[in-house]
Amino acid sequence: MKRSELAFNIVSVPLDALMLLFAAWASFYTRVHSVTLVGPVQYQLVLKTFLLTAGAVLPVVLLIFVFLGLYNIRGARKLSWQLGRILVGVSLGLFLVMVLFFFNNQLFPSRFIILAGWAYGILLVFLGRVLLQMMQQTLFRYGKGLHYVVIINGTNTDSQIIQDSLKNPKWGLKAIRELS
């Protein structure tokens, strides 16, 4: 485990929380200001109450992310893998909100807000992960946070896999020795 990986992993938790809260705010704002798209607001929507309720659901969604492995300490992950986990995590969080809505429809008086929050949540959490990965890859280009590897290769010293992995800075690898 590298310190840079630990730092990016630690930063990803509050970044995900911030993005989910921003998704809640954006869905609320979209609902209030899209009367022509969705129709008139029939319930009294109070932003403070909505954000407090969303903040109460937030730790559960982050816990779902933990169980899905989004905070495991590993090297750079593929964005497609992360997108799949984010999609499942936010969807499970939406299911929790729908269960809460079933028991008390005053918590989230607008179904559009719930649906928009789901879409914004997936989009914004994924965007946050993309930004983190771009920052990590930028650091790789400057030689920070690289994994140093020893290449153990029989007689074929020009193996295409080895050459590709060392030339691609996204992988974060640097050969320090080659053993034949």
Side-chain angles (χ1 to χ4, degrees):
M1 168 180 59
K2 311 258 324 153
R3 281 185 280 170
S4 63
E5 290 171 353
L6 181 61
F8 278 103
N9 204 33
I10 289 171
V11 167
S12 67
V13 177
L15 181 66
D16 288 349
L18 184 66
M19 290 299 193
L20 287 169
L21 282 176
F22 185 64
W25 175 83
S27 65
F28 184 89
Y29 184 83
T30 302
R31 174 61 186 111
V32 171
H33 291 80
S34 64
V35 176
T36 57
L37 177 68
V38 184
V41 177
Q42 297 176 352
Y43 297 99
Q44 179 64 19
L45 299 174
V46 180
L47 180 62
K48 182 179 177 182
T49 306
F50 176 73
L51 288 179
L52 287 173
T53 306
V57 174
L58 181 67
V60 177
V61 176
L62 293 177
L63 190 62
I64 291 169
F65 283 178
V66 168
F67 287 127
L68 290 173
L70 281 169
Y71 302 125
N72 289 347
I73 299 175
R74 296 182 54 208
R77 294 184 189 97
K78 286 188 173 187
L79 287 174
S80 60
W81 181 88
Q82 291 185 45
L83 179 60
R85 300 289 200 239
I86 291 167
L87 181 68
V88 170
V90 173
S91 297
L92 285 173
L94 173 72
F95 178 73
L96 173 68
V97 168
M98 288 171 42
V99 168
L100 290 174
F101 181 77
F102 179 76
F103 289 113
N104 184 359
N105 64 354
Q106 295 303 316
L107 289 177
F108 294 97
S110 172
R111 292 180 302 262
F112 177 81
I113 290 178
I114 296 171
L115 186 61
W118 174 76
Y120 281 133
I122 292 169
L123 179 71
L124 292 174
V125 171
F126 183 67
L127 178 66
R129 293 299 179 116
V130 168
L131 292 174
L132 274 180
Q133 193 166 32
M134 287 172 56
M135 288 173 47
Q136 189 174 28
Q137 290 171 359
T138 300
L139 290 175
F140 286 162
R141 282 191 213 102
Y142 290 108
K144 304 292 182 192
L146 294 173
H147 285 272
Y148 297 103
V149 295
V150 175
I151 299 172
I152 301 174
N153 192 14
T155 57
N156 186 6
T157 57
D158 292 329
S159 171
Q160 189 64 34
I161 295 172
I162 294 170
Q163 294 304 317
D164 289 344
S165 64
L166 295 177
K167 288 180 182 176
N168 192 346
K170 293 179 181 180
W171 291 26
L173 299 174
K174 181 177 182 179
I176 55 172
R177 181 170 229 170
E178 185 172 337
L179 302 174
S180 298

